[in-house]
Amino acid sequence: MKKKMLLLNTTVLLSLGGVLSTPAYASTIQDMESQKSQIQNQRQDVQSNIKAASDELTRLQAEQDQMKAQLERLTIAEEENNKKAQKTEADIKETSKQVEQLEKEIKLLQEKLEKRNAILKDRARSLQESGGNVEYLQVLLGSSSFGDFVDRALAVSTIVDADRGILKETKSMQDELKTKQADVKSKLASLEDMKAELDEMTVQLAAQKKQKDALAKELKDKESKNEELKASLQSKDSSLANEQSTLEQNIKDQKAAEEAARKAAEQAAKEAAKKAAEQAQKAAAAPAEKADSSSAKAEAPKASSNDVAPTSAPAPKASNVVTVGNRWIGNSAYVFGGGRSQSDISHGLFDCSSFVHWAYSQVGVNLGPLGSVSTETLKHAGTQVSSSQMQPGDLVFFDTYKKDGHVGIYVGGGKFIGAQSSTGVAIANMSSGYWKQKFNGRVVRI
């Protein structure tokens, strides 16, 4: 009987232990955890790509903003230079009218001078033929009385003075007309040179604007593609997030089912053990049999507990003048006569001399009133030095539309920084090409 009861208890415990130790749940959870880990890794990659796309979008948008600001500057510069070109054109027309009027006056004067010259030539010829002042002497000696002599003497004196006056007036008129003619022609030539410079500048600004427009479109296209990529990545991440959420819920449900099965098994084991104990008590009243039954009861919970899976739980310096202007490179535009108001400076609108004035003001050097600064004032602002002794910070001058028509700041290495009509503020090479041809050797040390 003891053997039968022991076999019964052992059979019950083994069968319950088999239920509690089945690998079905563990295998399913392990697979799902593995899938979850894979999805998490994929999401990390996707989110890293999303961040990269976001960073690229930020960079492109910043570049777009910078490009937009530069396009606005170029538009303002183009408008201002067009206004100046129109005014210069009007000045040229007005000066041309002055030249035409002056030429008419010159023609009339020339006719008048020719007549006077003819009179003077006749007088000179008469004097030469009579041997000097003989004709005048004959006039005086032919007087009939002393009073007549005085009258004739006064007449001769008047004629001589008149001749002298004609000569002086003629010379004065000739000198005055020559001066006016030279001044007006010089002004006209200067205006025509300025107009040519402004026309060229307008063409360059238009070309710059066209290039910037093309680049802005290219950036916009890149931005659109990057936004599409980002949206695609976000969609993929959302899909992976849904899969991860589904797996997490399945794992949770599976663990809950496992826990329920474990508890049911424990309860069944308890009931089976209890039933076995009751049967053992009825079958044998011996203390040994009771001990065996108690031993079986003690072993049952031990077996079930072993089958439960564990769970886890600056102050600026003068030497900086060659670099202070770098902030305007790519962020400025050339405006003839610009840079002489705070509004222009704030928008990066300079001409060559106003940029030099601004750069030196940033390092505490005053180059005179901003409103009247020009290449003419700057070339007298310091000490003239030989071009062979040129050093960074020196002013260098170029003959463009006029002598000393352009100025910049030497930065070393055969280069200078300045506001150029073709680029705005930029560093240019003066050791070769265009600027080498235009450099006139004038160097001013401030």
Side-chain angles (χ1 to χ4, degrees):
M1 177 62 77
K2 290 180 181 180
K3 291 182 178 179
K4 287 183 179 180
M5 292 305 298
L6 180 59
L7 178 62
L8 176 62
N9 290 335
T10 302
T11 301
V12 171
L13 291 172
L14 287 174
S15 62
L16 290 173
V19 172
L20 292 173
S21 61
T22 179
Y25 293 121
S27 176
T28 302
I29 290 174
Q30 184 177 3
D31 290 342
M32 287 190 293
E33 289 285 3
S34 176
Q35 292 177 30
K36 176 184 172 182
S37 178
Q38 291 176 2
I39 289 174
Q40 286 175 331
N41 290 336
Q42 291 180 39
R43 285 196 71 192
Q44 286 178 355
D45 291 340
V46 170
Q47 288 170 353
S48 177
N49 291 333
I50 289 173
K51 184 179 183 305
S54 296
D55 292 343
E56 179 65 8
L57 271 175
T58 300
R59 187 191 70 79
L60 289 171
Q61 287 167 354
E63 198 169 341
Q64 278 275 62
D65 292 341
Q66 186 178 7
M67 188 68 61
K68 182 179 178 182
Q70 181 64 359
L71 284 171
E72 290 175 354
R73 276 189 288 271
L74 289 173
T75 300
I76 293 171
E78 189 175 24
E79 291 173 353
E80 290 298 318
N81 287 321
N82 283 337
K83 289 178 183 177
K84 287 181 173 61
Q86 291 170 3
K87 184 179 183 303
T88 302
E89 183 69 36
D91 290 343
I92 288 173
K93 289 181 180 178
E94 180 61 30
T95 305
S96 297
K97 289 180 181 178
Q98 293 176 15
V99 171
E100 290 176 3
Q101 180 61 34
L102 189 59
E103 286 175 347
K104 290 179 181 178
E105 292 177 7
I106 289 172
K107 185 176 180 181
L108 292 173
L109 178 62
Q110 285 174 340
E111 293 175 356
K112 186 176 181 180
L113 290 175
E114 286 175 2
K115 292 178 180 179
R116 291 189 176 191
N117 285 337
I119 294 172
L120 292 172
K121 285 178 182 179
D122 289 342
R123 289 182 183 279
R125 189 180 301 111
S126 176
L127 287 171
Q128 183 179 13
E129 291 174 352
S130 61
N133 292 328
V134 175
E135 190 170 314
Y136 289 136
L137 290 173
Q138 288 176 348
V139 171
L140 294 173
L141 293 174
S143 59
S144 57
S145 64
F146 181 75
D148 186 27
F149 175 81
V150 172
D151 291 339
R152 291 190 179 206
L154 290 172
V156 168
S157 177
T158 301
I159 292 170
V160 172
D161 289 342
D163 288 346
R164 188 181 296 112
I166 289 173
L167 288 171
K168 287 180 67 176
E169 183 183 359
T170 301
K171 180 66 168 62
S172 176
M173 292 174 69
Q174 285 178 328
D175 292 343
E176 182 183 357
L177 284 172
K178 285 180 181 179
T179 300
K180 285 184 178 180
Q181 190 175 35
D183 289 345
V184 173
K185 287 185 176 180
S186 175
K187 181 180 178 181
L188 181 60
S190 177
L191 287 170
E192 287 174 344
D193 288 342
M194 187 185 296
K195 178 65 165 53
E197 182 87 357
L198 287 166
D199 287 344
E200 177 64 22
M201 194 185 309
T202 300
V203 171
Q204 291 171 348
L205 287 169
Q208 283 186 66
K209 193 168 183 295
K210 185 176 181 181
Q211 291 174 355
K212 299 286 184 184
D213 284 335
L215 184 55
K217 184 178 183 302
E218 182 181 341
L219 286 173
K220 191 66 179 176
D221 291 341
K222 286 182 180 179
E223 188 177 330
S224 297
K225 290 179 181 178
N226 209 57
E227 285 177 343
E228 290 175 4
L229 174 61
K230 182 180 177 182
S232 175
L233 289 169
Q234 287 175 331
S235 175
K236 185 175 180 180
D237 182 62
S238 177
S239 176
L240 288 171
N242 289 335
E243 289 184 40
Q244 180 179 336
S245 177
T246 300
L247 277 172
E248 287 173 348
Q249 185 62 44
N250 289 341
I251 290 170
K252 183 178 179 181
D253 293 344
Q254 195 67 35
K255 285 183 175 180
E258 180 182 348
E259 180 66 14
R262 185 186 67 79
K263 289 181 178 180
E266 286 181 349
Q267 183 64 31
K270 288 179 180 179
E271 291 177 356
K274 182 179 179 182
K275 186 176 180 180
E278 290 175 351
Q279 289 177 349
Q281 287 176 356
K282 291 179 181 179
E289 290 177 348
K290 290 183 180 180
D292 290 342
S293 175
S294 298
S295 176
K297 287 175 68 177
E299 289 176 2
K302 182 177 180 181
S304 63
S305 63
N306 287 338
D307 290 331
V308 177
T311 58
S312 61
K317 297 180 180 178
S319 60
N320 293 336
V321 72
V322 299
T323 57
V324 291
N326 290 349
R327 60 170 289 195
W328 294 116
I329 295 176
N331 298 309
S332 59
Y334 186 96
V335 173
F336 202 95
R340 286 163 179 78
S341 68
Q342 189 54 51
S343 176
D344 278 0
I345 293 173
S346 298
H347 289 88
L349 305 176
F350 296 97
D351 66 7
C352 61
S353 53
S354 66
F355 170 74
V356 169
H357 187 284
W358 173 86
Y360 267 93
S361 72
Q362 298 305 295
V363 297
V365 179
N366 186 356
L367 295 181
L370 176 60
S372 59
V373 66
S374 67
T375 54
E376 288 298 314
T377 64
L378 290 176
K379 73 182 185 183
H380 300 297
T383 304
Q384 303 278 333
V385 298
S386 170
S387 60
S388 62
Q389 298 176 331
M390 189 162 48
Q391 64 186 31
D394 290 344
L395 304 188
V396 286
F397 291 79
F398 305 84
D399 292 343
T400 51
Y401 72 97
K402 67 174 184 177
K403 184 171 179 60
D404 297 317
H406 188 70
V407 63
I409 302 172
Y410 187 64
V411 299
K415 297 180 179 179
F416 75 98
I417 186 170
Q420 276 71 261
S421 61
S422 58
T423 58
V425 175
I427 294 175
N429 189 351
M430 60 182 288
S431 60
S432 64
Y434 176 83
W435 291 112
K436 180 180 180 180
Q437 296 173 2
K438 296 297 182 180
F439 178 53
N440 62 18
R442 187 188 298 279
V443 180
V444 173
R445 184 160 297 158
I446 302 300

